[in-house]
Amino acid sequence: MRTDSAAGVADRYVRRAIEFTMRVGPSLDAMERGLAQLLQAGVQPMAYCLHADASGGTLRFTAAEPLATRERLECAGLGYAVDEVVLVAVPSRLGMPALFGSLLRDAGIQIVYSYASWRPERGGFTVFKTRDDDRAVEVLATHLALASM
């Protein structure tokens, strides 16, 4: 059970979020075009990453307004899938995403994947997909609450 201060930290810095995934071509150009299509559709990602593997390219991102993002993607004819992830607003300090990952591993929470993104107008975000997102939020919120005391 979270303490009141951990709950407050969770509300401000750590939360579950909707992640959108779009399949794009495997080349860097194709991935950049996918990101450009996203921006042209009026979607402003909070955090995003581009990834290529043997099956092609993937653009993963979170957005502040998931419902509006769905509408914009559908109006633009862009295919997507959704999943839940853990989104952490991070101070602009090097090493924070790695520290968060270590905290989750030390708590026995399996990380499926993670990425970090920083934009001058929004600051930094780290995204984790874990096998237990609720517990991941609890662990990270508790750590951040203790660190802020």
Side-chain angles (χ1 to χ4, degrees):
M1 175 173 279
R2 290 191 317 205
T3 65
D4 287 339
S5 73
V9 168
D11 293 342
R12 281 182 296 173
Y13 300 107
V14 183
R15 64 183 171 92
R16 292 190 64 163
I18 299 296
E19 177 187 66
F20 295 85
T21 301
M22 294 173 47
R23 298 299 295 171
V24 295
S27 71
L28 182 57
D29 286 343
M31 289 189 278
E32 288 175 349
R33 279 193 305 277
L35 183 57
Q37 288 176 323
L38 185 69
L39 297 174
Q40 287 171 354
V43 175
Q44 294 297 318
M46 295 173 66
Y48 71 92
C49 76
L50 297 165
H51 171 75
D53 59 23
S55 65
T58 302
L59 168 60
R60 296 181 194 267
F61 66 95
T62 60
E65 299 176 13
L67 293 176
T69 298
R70 283 179 183 217
E71 289 175 12
R72 289 182 180 122
L73 292 172
E74 288 169 6
C75 285
L78 299 173
Y80 65 91
V82 296
D83 200 356
E84 290 191 11
V85 293
V86 177
L87 178 68
V88 187
V90 296
S92 57
R93 290 188 216 144
L94 293 175
M96 291 302 287
L99 171 65
F100 296 146
S102 293
L103 290 167
L104 295 176
R105 278 190 297 278
D106 290 350
I109 299 169
Q110 183 181 0
I111 299 169
V112 178
Y113 60 83
S114 66
Y115 55 93
S117 186
W118 186 85
R119 294 178 47 187
E121 67 274 12
R122 288 210 168 132
F125 292 94
T126 301
V127 175
F128 292 98
K129 179 60 190 161
T130 72
R131 296 283 183 217
D132 189 347
D133 290 341
D134 288 332
R135 189 156 166 255
V137 168
E138 182 179 335
V139 166
L140 294 173
T142 300
H143 173 79
L144 289 169
L146 291 173
S148 66
M149 294 180 150

